[in-house]
Amino acid sequence: MGTNEDHTEDRATAVLVRDAMARATAELPVTADLVGPARAQGLRHRARVRAAIGGAVLAVAGLGLAGAFVLPGGDDDGGPTGSTGVIDVAAPPTGSAPPPPVHLEPSPGESSMADLPPAERARQENFQNQAVGVLQQLLPPSVGTVQRVDLGVRHYQGTKDGKTFHIVFSVRPFEPGTAPQACREIKGTVCSKTTLPGGIEAAASISPINNGDVTESRVWFRYGASDVSLSVNPHDESHTSAPVTAQQLLDLAASSAFLDLVKAADRDPVEEMQRSVPAG
């Protein structure tokens, strides 16, 4: 505490709060729709890296305002706005600060949230903290305590009875002209589908991985200009499958708290667009 970096991030956080207060008085358009593939394989290989207390929990715990940023009401069809520096989410009132983040060292050549400019890092950490509150409320107790991971904005984990389940939550702009991911029941994968509020088509799957001895649970859909995906991975060391059913993930995706989170990230993206790579 008391370092120059702390003071810089405190100043950045103050700017974010002022922006949020200003936005709360304006009628901002809200976009529709979301889905996203996620990448968790790298995290599983780093599962043995110990968790450590990260920096201060910015914008939420540090200010004592967890859940205070609320999306403006209304379901207008306006387009996305530019990034404002704050993700506004109607988070569940937990009455306490989020748990500390899990620290994972990046692989050689890989970047992490620590490499971001202070203001952008604060913005993404704020989104992660809001996501932790929503996921903790909506995921089944079998997932355990949800924490954010400081390697990247899409990475989280649940811990229960000494078992760690890596969670990947992605809201990523899709490349125009690309088709949404289909639900294919191949190689033992079992898919379920439902229609979310607003007519959004969502799919969830239970898929065998790691030679088929454990399963991964995943839900995905397309919202506005984004692909949305939430996956819960198995605990490899104990050969424990992801303790979440497809129906539980579909119910989570249909909740207003989760869709508010998605709506905010679709409007002010925290991930870069995924570009398709030509084959050859």
Side-chain angles (χ1 to χ4, degrees):
M1 301 296 292
T3 65
N4 291 335
E5 181 180 356
D6 291 335
H7 293 313
T8 300
E9 293 182 347
D10 287 344
R11 289 196 296 271
T13 299
V15 172
L16 300 184
V17 173
R18 287 199 297 271
D19 287 344
M21 301 276 295
R23 288 176 62 195
T25 61
E27 292 186 3
L28 294 181
V30 179
T31 57
D33 281 81
L34 184 155
V35 152
R39 183 201 63 187
Q41 189 64 32
L43 271 178
R44 284 199 293 271
H45 292 311
R46 288 188 288 271
R48 295 185 178 86
V49 181
R50 70 180 184 277
I53 305 269
V57 181
L58 299 175
V60 178
L63 295 172
L65 292 176
F69 300 148
V70 181
L71 283 169
D75 292 321
D76 54 76
D77 296 325
T81 62
S83 177
T84 61
V86 171
I87 294 293
D88 295 338
V89 178
T94 61
S96 61
V102 174
H103 174 66
L104 287 181
E105 287 293 330
S107 300
E110 182 181 26
S111 62
S112 72
M113 294 178 70
D115 301 313
L116 295 171
E120 179 60 17
R121 179 180 177 183
R123 190 177 79 95
Q124 292 191 17
E125 289 180 344
N126 177 47
F127 177 80
Q128 281 191 310
N129 286 326
Q130 300 289 357
V132 165
V134 172
L135 296 177
Q136 187 70 77
Q137 180 191 47
L138 298 177
L139 285 169
S142 53
V143 175
T145 300
V146 179
Q147 296 170 272
R148 67 180 182 88
V149 176
D150 66 3
L151 187 64
V153 68
R154 62 170 59 191
H155 296 301
Y156 305 81
Q157 74 174 36
T159 305
K160 177 78 169 181
D161 298 330
K163 299 175 182 178
T164 297
F165 304 101
H166 288 111
I167 301 167
V168 181
F169 171 42
S170 174
V171 182
R172 191 170 191 173
F174 61 80
E175 188 173 2
T178 58
Q181 181 182 354
C183 191
R184 296 186 176 91
E185 294 192 325
I186 57 175
K187 298 182 179 179
T189 294
V190 178
C191 285
S192 303
K193 297 181 181 179
T194 193
T195 301
L196 306 180
I200 302 166
E201 296 298 322
S205 66
I206 304 296
S207 302
I209 60 175
N210 297 355
N211 298 319
D213 57 346
V214 290
T215 58
E216 173 191 70
S217 303
R218 182 167 174 260
V219 63
W220 68 95
F221 56 95
R222 182 161 280 189
Y223 186 103
S226 303
D227 280 331
V228 183
S229 177
L230 174 67
S231 63
V232 182
N233 295 276
H235 182 245
D236 293 336
E237 287 79 0
S238 65
H239 301 285
T240 302
S241 294
V244 188
T245 67
Q247 187 58 54
Q248 286 171 327
L249 288 181
L250 291 174
D251 291 343
L252 178 151
S255 71
S256 59
F258 185 76
L259 289 176
D260 279 349
L261 193 65
V262 165
K263 184 185 299 183
D266 179 63
R267 186 184 62 234
D268 291 330
V270 291
E271 295 185 69
E272 296 181 357
M273 179 182 295
Q274 183 172 4
R275 301 287 184 178
S276 59
V277 179

